[in-house]
Amino acid sequence: MGSDIKSLRNRIRSVDSTLHMTKAMGLVASSKMRRANRNMGQSREYAAAMDEVIDVLRSSPECARTPYMIQKGSGTRLIVIAGDRGLAGGYNANVFKLASTQPDAEIIPIGKRACERWGRSIISSEKFYAEDAKKMADELCASFIAGEFGKLGILYTRYHSMMSQEPVIKWVLPLQKDECGKKTPPLFEPDEETVLTAAVPTYVAGIITACIRESYASEVAARRMAMDSAGKNAQEMIDQLQLKYNRARQNSITQEITEIVAGSGL
């Protein structure tokens, strides 16, 4: 009986330690959530503005000759954005599951978990800044024009709400012609093709930055929800163990009283 009580006490302490850890990680995720959402919102606005400009340009007949609308090479390069750490529910697993649907793609991982999975040098998703995205975009655009690959996509996690995040693939290159076009397109100097060719690397860099920031916001939200769930499960387990512990203690005390009473009657 004594060994059972000691075992239950040790288990309660162990689960209580886990509960404190999950609460601490949940608080850290909450503190990061506001900044992550603010950065995500700013990147979304920037990407939307760039999309409007590119939509106008790619609807122009003159831009059909730009190298970014002509698929010269073959093969696919896929930027896969995952997290820097685990304990975020199914966040990383869902990203890797979607990446497996593109088995022939050349993977460019961002995030420590993705880099470890594909055996590449570590690139942090949390500390991937706009200048890093610009450098990557310039290299990818130059390789695309050179015909080293024919299709560029970004696998990231789209943020819907604290409760819902969805991994998706956004195809970036080659640019697709906008058949609808604009009724009153603006004038570009010196011409639409020149402006589009110059703007695409900046556009791709903006898309990469926006996808990384949205993925990071999704990761923080997923970790916050995972820690909340783990904390609730830990508390429920503590309550159950505490009930068993109290019963064991009661039985032990009852047994001791019975033995005392029996001994005093001899």
Side-chain angles (χ1 to χ4, degrees):
M1 183 64 70
S3 61
D4 291 341
I5 293 175
K6 183 177 180 180
S7 175
L8 287 168
R9 187 187 298 120
N10 290 336
R11 290 184 62 189
I12 290 173
R13 288 175 179 172
S14 176
V15 177
D16 186 64
S17 176
T18 301
L19 176 61
H20 281 80
M21 182 189 70
T22 57
K23 285 183 176 180
M25 293 188 67
L27 290 173
V28 172
S30 296
S31 68
K32 291 182 177 181
M33 198 67 235
R34 180 177 296 180
R35 179 172 59 87
N37 280 339
R38 182 181 67 250
N39 291 339
M40 178 181 65
Q42 293 172 347
S43 293
R44 278 181 171 179
E45 291 178 5
Y46 178 81
M50 288 296 298
D51 275 335
E52 290 183 6
V53 175
I54 297 298
D55 285 346
V56 173
L57 289 167
R58 66 182 180 174
S59 66
S60 170
E62 289 79 6
C63 288
R65 299 187 298 270
T66 183
Y68 293 114
M69 298 188 72
I70 301 173
Q71 187 172 344
K72 294 171 59 178
S74 60
T76 300
R77 286 189 183 178
L78 186 65
I79 300 173
V80 177
I81 304 169
D84 286 342
R85 54 186 66 88
L87 298 177
Y91 172 78
N92 290 313
N94 292 334
V95 168
F96 299 149
K97 182 178 180 181
L98 183 57
S100 67
T101 64
Q102 304 291 325
D104 298 327
E106 179 184 345
I107 303 298
I108 303 174
I110 296 177
K112 294 179 181 178
R113 286 289 186 261
C115 294
E116 290 169 357
R117 182 179 180 87
W118 279 283
R120 305 290 181 85
S121 56
I122 300 298
I123 300 176
S124 171
S125 58
E126 184 176 354
K127 298 180 180 179
F128 195 90
Y129 303 112
E131 52 268 27
D132 301 316
K134 185 63 169 64
K135 180 180 179 181
M136 178 178 287
D138 289 342
E139 294 174 353
L140 288 170
C141 288
S143 297
F144 179 81
I145 292 176
E148 295 179 15
F149 65 95
K151 197 174 182 181
L152 174 65
I154 303 176
L155 196 168
Y156 72 105
T157 303
R158 180 179 295 161
Y159 179 93
H160 295 294
S161 67
M162 281 290 295
M163 302 288 293
S164 176
Q165 303 87 36
E166 174 192 15
V168 295
I169 297 177
K170 181 180 181 67
W171 296 108
V172 182
L173 294 176
L175 299 176
Q176 300 298 316
K177 183 175 176 58
D178 187 359
E179 300 296 342
C180 297
K182 305 291 182 180
K183 293 182 179 180
T184 55
L187 295 176
F188 292 93
E189 293 291 344
D191 56 70
E192 289 86 347
E193 181 181 357
T194 302
V195 174
L196 179 62
T197 301
V200 167
T202 302
Y203 165 72
V204 174
I207 296 298
I208 293 174
T209 301
C211 290
I212 289 175
R213 289 183 174 179
E214 187 156 355
S215 290
Y216 179 66
S218 298
E219 179 189 359
V220 173
R223 182 168 294 110
R224 166 66 188 279
M225 297 307 299
M227 291 302 99
D228 285 350
S229 178
K232 291 178 182 178
N233 292 338
Q235 187 60 59
E236 290 177 1
M237 185 176 294
I238 288 175
D239 293 341
Q240 293 172 1
L241 290 172
Q242 189 67 50
L243 182 61
K244 291 181 180 179
Y245 175 80
N246 292 338
R247 287 175 178 172
R249 283 285 298 155
Q250 184 177 8
N251 291 337
S252 177
I253 293 172
T254 302
Q255 183 177 351
E256 290 177 2
I257 293 174
T258 301
E259 291 174 354
I260 293 172
V261 171
S264 64
L266 293 176

